[in-house]
Amino acid sequence: MSNYYEIPGQKSKELLEKKNKYVARGISASAPVFIEEAKGALMKDVDGNTFIDFAGGIGVLNAGHCPEPVVEAIKKQSEKLIHTCFMAAMYEPYVNLAERLANLAPGSTPKKVMFANSGAEAVENAVKIARSYSKRPGIIAFEMAFHGRTFMTMSLTSKVKPYKFGFGPFAPEVYKIPSAYCYRCYYRSTYPECGMHCLEQFDRFFVAEVAPETIAAIIIEPVQGEGGFIVPPKEFLPGLKSIAERHGILLIVDEVQTGFARTGKMFAIEHYQIEPDLMTVAKSIAAGMPLSGVIGKDYIMDAPDPGHLGGTYTGNPVACEAALATIDYIEKENLSARAEKIGNVIIKRLKEMQDKYQIIGDVRGLGAMIAIELVKDRKTKEPAKEETAKIIKECLNNGLFMLSAGVFGNVIRMLMPLVITDEQIEQALNILEKAVAKINREI
Ligand SMILES: Cc1ncc(COP(=O)(O)O)c(C=O)c1O
């Protein structure tokens, strides 16, 4: 794995030409390689180059690439039944998975579940359910949030380019509030002396911006993902929950990226002992099969009348069986504990790197959801966007597949499959350190 790859290789180059000719320009990829096969934490491209995968299909592969029991479950189900549409003719995997998730979700209130196909679609449905239950129109979301690319979810999302620019007008009755991003605090305060302005701001907001009695829900990612792996202070989510409760506002917790063992618990919200009113799940739920869901308190989930929720492919039987096998596998292999261990090892090493390389402004994470934020200058915190791209490219050439994140494009996020071996982690961090050292010399 110490090779230096010429990227893209010949076959990837040819496929890239075809892609440029036939695929819409708006669909872009972060690396110019085409992957042919993958197993565990390793991916091989069409030219035979092997990469340690620190992207995990953007948080989809907590259980690794092609886990054996999931592959078997997909094969078995696809030989029996691929599709009927649950709204037309029902099948068992849908209700079995609903039961499993209802019992897995945190909190003592009985839960109900509905399925969709993507994270965005789950968020859309959570908003529909919250409005239907509360009879209120407003939704509060956070700066730096990412909830998807459909119209409602785009409206809830930050990072104007590339997610929103030129695509408006956006959905009405969406309100944004600064997030608990301590490294770049909106109030220029420092935790813990700050007194949590990020919670206090709601008092003013509810007077100056919008009446709380018109707000159906607050939606939040427990760790903001696309926004740069922003972990709020431990008081933030419990504080938010009590503000919501005080005003009869529902709390929707978007666990699309944080769910299924990534942060060291099955769901990240379990770190804060909060019971969400509604929770959205997707990504690592089914090891890559397209599936998402809304899990919520039963009396809230039952607000929309029969027929008011659904979709042709939602809760497809093959995807549901894949999810049941994935959840079994996550539990059997105790991937939550593994995520915590991976997180400790990687954070320790990244902090050592931070001591050596000025470019690393911040190291943060929860469990195995880990990131570094790169800056040109530690005092001004000027985002090192170009340098971030260079480090990621350098890593790719050395066999490590990484992704950027952050509204300023200066965060490197790590979402390795949790089945990764200790040796692969060590190898990956060596590649990363070499790249950081090289680019650090340029600032
Ligand atoms: C927190 C969160 N919510 C929603 C989404 C949207 O999911 P999808 O791309 O499956 O629509 C994402 C995707 O990255 C996400 O991270």
Coordinates of all heavy atoms in Angstrom, one line a residue, residues 313-346:
Y313 N -41.6 2.9 -4.0 CA -40.5 2.0 -3.7 C -40.3 1.9 -2.2 O -39.4 1.2 -1.7 CB -39.2 2.4 -4.3 CG -39.3 2.4 -5.8 CD1 -39.3 3.5 -6.6 CD2 -39.3 1.2 -6.5 CE1 -39.4 3.5 -8.0 CE2 -39.4 1.1 -7.9 CZ -39.4 2.3 -8.6 OH -39.5 2.3 -10.0
T314 N -41.0 2.7 -1.4 CA -40.6 2.9 0.0 C -40.7 1.6 0.8 O -41.8 1.0 0.8 CB -41.5 4.0 0.7 OG1 -42.8 3.6 0.5 CG2 -41.2 5.3 0.1
G315 N -39.6 1.3 1.5 CA -39.6 0.0 2.3 C -39.6 -1.2 1.5 O -40.2 -2.2 1.8
N316 N -38.8 -1.1 0.4 CA -38.7 -2.3 -0.5 C -38.3 -3.5 0.2 O -37.4 -3.4 1.1 CB -37.7 -1.9 -1.6 CG -37.2 -3.0 -2.4 OD1 -36.3 -3.8 -2.0 ND2 -37.8 -3.3 -3.5
P317 N -38.8 -4.7 -0.1 CA -38.5 -5.9 0.7 C -37.1 -6.3 0.7 O -36.6 -6.8 1.8 CB -39.4 -7.0 0.1 CG -39.9 -6.5 -1.2 CD -39.8 -5.0 -1.1
V318 N -36.4 -6.1 -0.4 CA -34.9 -6.5 -0.4 C -34.2 -5.5 0.5 O -33.3 -6.0 1.3 CB -34.4 -6.4 -1.8 CG1 -32.9 -6.9 -1.9 CG2 -35.2 -7.3 -2.8
A319 N -34.5 -4.2 0.5 CA -33.8 -3.3 1.3 C -34.1 -3.5 2.8 O -33.3 -3.4 3.7 CB -34.2 -1.8 0.9
C320 N -35.4 -3.9 3.1 CA -35.8 -4.2 4.5 C -35.0 -5.4 5.0 O -34.5 -5.4 6.2 CB -37.3 -4.4 4.6 SG -38.2 -2.9 4.5
E321 N -34.9 -6.4 4.2 CA -34.1 -7.6 4.7 C -32.7 -7.3 4.8 O -32.0 -7.8 5.8 CB -34.3 -8.8 3.6 CG -35.6 -9.5 3.8 CD -35.8 -10.2 5.1 OE1 -34.8 -10.8 5.7 OE2 -36.9 -10.2 5.7
A322 N -32.1 -6.4 3.9 CA -30.7 -6.0 4.1 C -30.6 -5.2 5.4 O -29.6 -5.4 6.1 CB -30.3 -5.1 2.9
A323 N -31.5 -4.4 5.7 CA -31.5 -3.6 7.0 C -31.5 -4.5 8.2 O -30.7 -4.3 9.1 CB -32.6 -2.6 7.0
L324 N -32.4 -5.5 8.2 CA -32.5 -6.4 9.3 C -31.1 -7.2 9.5 O -30.6 -7.3 10.6 CB -33.6 -7.4 9.1 CG -35.0 -6.9 9.3 CD1 -36.1 -7.8 8.7 CD2 -35.3 -6.7 10.8
A325 N -30.5 -7.6 8.4 CA -29.2 -8.3 8.5 C -28.1 -7.3 8.9 O -27.2 -7.7 9.7 CB -28.9 -8.9 7.1
T326 N -28.2 -6.1 8.5 CA -27.2 -5.1 8.8 C -27.2 -4.8 10.3 O -26.2 -4.7 11.0 CB -27.4 -3.8 8.0 OG1 -27.3 -4.1 6.6 CG2 -26.3 -2.7 8.3
I327 N -28.5 -4.6 10.8 CA -28.6 -4.3 12.3 C -28.1 -5.5 13.1 O -27.4 -5.3 14.1 CB -30.1 -3.9 12.6 CG1 -30.4 -2.6 11.8 CG2 -30.3 -3.7 14.1 CD1 -31.9 -2.2 11.8
D328 N -28.5 -6.7 12.7 CA -28.0 -7.9 13.4 C -26.5 -7.9 13.4 O -25.9 -8.1 14.5 CB -28.4 -9.2 12.6 CG -29.8 -9.5 12.9 OD1 -30.4 -9.0 13.9 OD2 -30.4 -10.4 12.2
Y329 N -25.9 -7.6 12.3 CA -24.4 -7.6 12.2 C -23.8 -6.5 13.1 O -22.8 -6.8 13.8 CB -24.1 -7.4 10.7 CG -22.6 -7.5 10.4 CD1 -22.0 -8.8 10.3 CD2 -21.8 -6.4 10.1 CE1 -20.7 -8.9 10.0 CE2 -20.5 -6.6 9.7 CZ -19.9 -7.8 9.7 OH -18.6 -7.9 9.4
I330 N -24.3 -5.3 13.0 CA -23.8 -4.2 13.9 C -23.8 -4.6 15.3 O -22.9 -4.4 16.1 CB -24.6 -2.9 13.6 CG1 -24.3 -2.3 12.2 CG2 -24.4 -1.9 14.7 CD1 -25.2 -1.2 11.8
E331 N -24.9 -5.3 15.7 CA -25.1 -5.7 17.1 C -24.1 -6.8 17.5 O -23.4 -6.8 18.5 CB -26.5 -6.1 17.5 CG -27.4 -4.8 17.5 CD -28.8 -5.1 18.0 OE1 -29.3 -6.3 17.8 OE2 -29.5 -4.2 18.5
K332 N -24.1 -7.9 16.6 CA -23.3 -9.0 16.8 C -21.8 -8.7 16.9 O -21.1 -9.2 17.8 CB -23.5 -10.1 15.7 CG -22.9 -11.4 15.9 CD -23.4 -12.4 14.9 CE -22.2 -13.3 14.5 NZ -21.4 -12.8 13.4
E333 N -21.3 -7.8 16.0 CA -19.9 -7.4 16.0 C -19.6 -6.3 17.0 O -18.5 -5.8 17.1 CB -19.5 -7.0 14.6 CG -19.7 -8.0 13.5 CD -18.7 -9.2 13.7 OE1 -17.6 -9.0 14.1 OE2 -19.2 -10.3 13.6
N334 N -20.6 -5.8 17.7 CA -20.5 -4.7 18.7 C -19.8 -3.5 18.1 O -18.8 -3.0 18.6 CB -19.8 -5.2 20.0 CG -20.1 -4.3 21.1 OD1 -20.8 -3.2 20.9 ND2 -19.6 -4.6 22.3
L335 N -20.3 -3.1 16.9 CA -19.6 -2.0 16.2 C -19.7 -0.7 16.9 O -18.9 0.2 16.7 CB -20.2 -1.9 14.8 CG -19.9 -3.1 13.9 CD1 -20.4 -2.8 12.4 CD2 -18.4 -3.4 13.9
S336 N -20.6 -0.5 17.9 CA -20.7 0.7 18.7 C -19.4 0.8 19.5 O -18.7 1.9 19.6 CB -21.9 0.8 19.6 OG -23.1 0.9 18.8
A337 N -19.1 -0.3 20.2 CA -17.8 -0.3 21.0 C -16.6 -0.1 20.1 O -15.7 0.6 20.5 CB -17.7 -1.6 21.8
R338 N -16.7 -0.7 18.9 CA -15.5 -0.6 18.0 C -15.4 0.9 17.6 O -14.3 1.4 17.5 CB -15.8 -1.5 16.8 CG -14.7 -1.4 15.7 CD -13.4 -2.1 16.1 NE -12.4 -1.9 15.1 CZ -11.1 -1.7 15.4 NH1 -10.7 -1.7 16.6 NH2 -10.2 -1.5 14.4
A339 N -16.5 1.6 17.3 CA -16.5 3.0 16.9 C -15.8 3.8 18.0 O -15.0 4.7 17.7 CB -17.9 3.5 16.6
E340 N -16.2 3.6 19.2 CA -15.6 4.3 20.3 C -14.1 4.2 20.3 O -13.3 5.1 20.5 CB -16.2 3.9 21.6 CG -16.1 4.9 22.7 CD -16.6 4.5 24.0 OE1 -17.6 3.8 24.0 OE2 -16.0 4.9 25.1
K341 N -13.7 2.9 20.2 CA -12.2 2.6 20.2 C -11.5 3.3 19.1 O -10.5 3.9 19.2 CB -12.0 1.1 20.2 CG -10.6 0.7 20.3 CD -10.4 -0.7 20.9 CE -8.9 -1.0 20.9 NZ -8.5 -2.0 19.8
I342 N -12.1 3.1 17.9 CA -11.5 3.8 16.7 C -11.3 5.3 16.9 O -10.3 5.9 16.7 CB -12.4 3.5 15.4 CG1 -12.3 2.0 15.0 CG2 -12.0 4.4 14.3 CD1 -13.3 1.6 13.9
G343 N -12.4 5.8 17.5 CA -12.4 7.3 17.7 C -11.3 7.7 18.6 O -10.5 8.6 18.4
N344 N -11.1 6.9 19.7 CA -10.0 7.3 20.7 C -8.7 7.2 20.0 O -7.8 8.1 20.2 CB -10.1 6.3 21.9 CG -11.3 6.6 22.7 OD1 -11.9 7.7 22.7 ND2 -11.7 5.6 23.5
V345 N -8.4 6.1 19.3 CA -7.1 6.0 18.6 C -6.9 7.1 17.6 O -5.8 7.7 17.6 CB -7.1 4.6 17.9 CG1 -5.9 4.5 17.0 CG2 -7.1 3.5 18.9
I346 N -7.9 7.4 16.8 CA -7.6 8.4 15.8 C -7.5 9.8 16.3 O -6.6 10.6 15.9 CB -8.7 8.3 14.7 CG1 -8.7 6.9 14.0 CG2 -8.6 9.4 13.7 CD1 -9.6 6.7 12.8

